[in-house]
Amino acid sequence: MLINSMNRGTPEMRRVSIDVLANLGKEADDVIPDLVSALADFDANVQWAAIQALRKKGRRAVPELIYMLEYDDHSLTPNILRTFSELGPNAIDATDNILIMLQHNNIEYRALAAEALGEIGEPTEIVIKSLSIVAQDKNEYVSSSANWALGELERIKILRGEKGNEE
């Protein structure tokens, strides 16, 4: 009944249904594909509810998000990338897919991919090199997103270094 309301109700009903499904815990993980589909809802509040619901699902949502990022017609791409940002370190398994999006011809995808990498916070050599290239992008939105992400990764490296010195 909740899935039906999430797919066919008013925007308010869809949002509330998503919120309830998000709070059911692991026993409701079979709704993850439905939550990913809700990322394409025409109502921005429903989209945001789906992003937050997937954030609550954590790492368990990542395989479905990766699958849809690879095989969708790109109608979900911006919100999938936003969801990876919300998941932060829990989306680390999507890093390779996000790196591919840094090379996309769509400006928004490149900027959102850079932001997701900054939120995931894994300063590997390939991530830093890729973001450094994107930081030179002619589009200010893309370059500023990449520079922000590089700053976040540098901050993380410093914090990790301080922790290493204390041990």
Side-chain angles (χ1 to χ4, degrees):
M1 192 163 87
L2 283 170
I3 293 172
N4 190 35
S5 295
M6 181 180 82
N7 292 323
R8 294 192 178 88
T10 65
E12 293 79 17
M13 181 60 77
R14 292 195 307 274
R15 193 181 75 245
V16 168
S17 298
I18 289 169
D19 289 343
V20 171
L21 288 168
N23 289 311
L24 290 179
K26 289 182 181 180
E27 60 272 8
D29 281 357
D30 58 332
V31 302
I32 289 174
D34 296 295
L35 294 172
V36 172
S37 294
L39 294 173
D41 195 280
F42 67 86
D43 185 273
N45 291 321
V46 173
Q47 293 172 14
W48 185 247
I51 289 170
Q52 294 308 308
L54 291 163
R55 181 184 57 79
K56 287 181 180 180
K57 295 294 181 184
R59 284 185 180 222
R60 299 183 312 274
V62 172
E64 182 70 19
L65 289 164
I66 290 171
Y67 174 79
M68 291 306 291
L69 186 64
E70 291 176 349
Y71 297 105
D72 183 57
D73 62 0
H74 296 294
S75 63
L76 296 174
T77 299
N79 281 336
I80 289 173
L81 293 169
R82 287 181 183 101
T83 304
F84 287 144
S85 288
E86 287 292 313
L87 286 165
N90 283 326
I92 193 165
D93 293 343
T95 300
D96 290 343
N97 304 84
I98 297 168
L99 286 168
I100 291 168
M101 297 309 294
L102 280 180
Q103 302 168 32
H104 201 280
N105 62 357
N106 184 299
I107 291 166
E108 182 182 24
Y109 298 178
R110 292 195 311 271
L112 290 170
E115 292 169 13
L117 291 169
E119 294 291 351
I120 290 170
E122 192 58 39
T124 63
E125 185 177 339
I126 187 72
V127 169
I128 292 171
K129 277 185 178 180
S130 298
L131 285 169
S132 295
I133 292 168
V134 176
Q136 306 305 313
D137 198 284
K138 293 177 183 172
N139 182 279
E140 188 178 333
Y141 175 38
V142 174
S143 62
S144 66
S145 294
N147 281 310
W148 173 84
L150 286 167
E152 285 298 297
L153 295 177
E154 185 60 33
R155 184 183 61 78
I156 289 166
K157 285 172 56 176
I158 290 169
L159 288 173
R160 287 181 181 173
E162 290 173 0
K163 285 183 179 179
N165 292 336
E166 291 173 7
E167 293 177 3

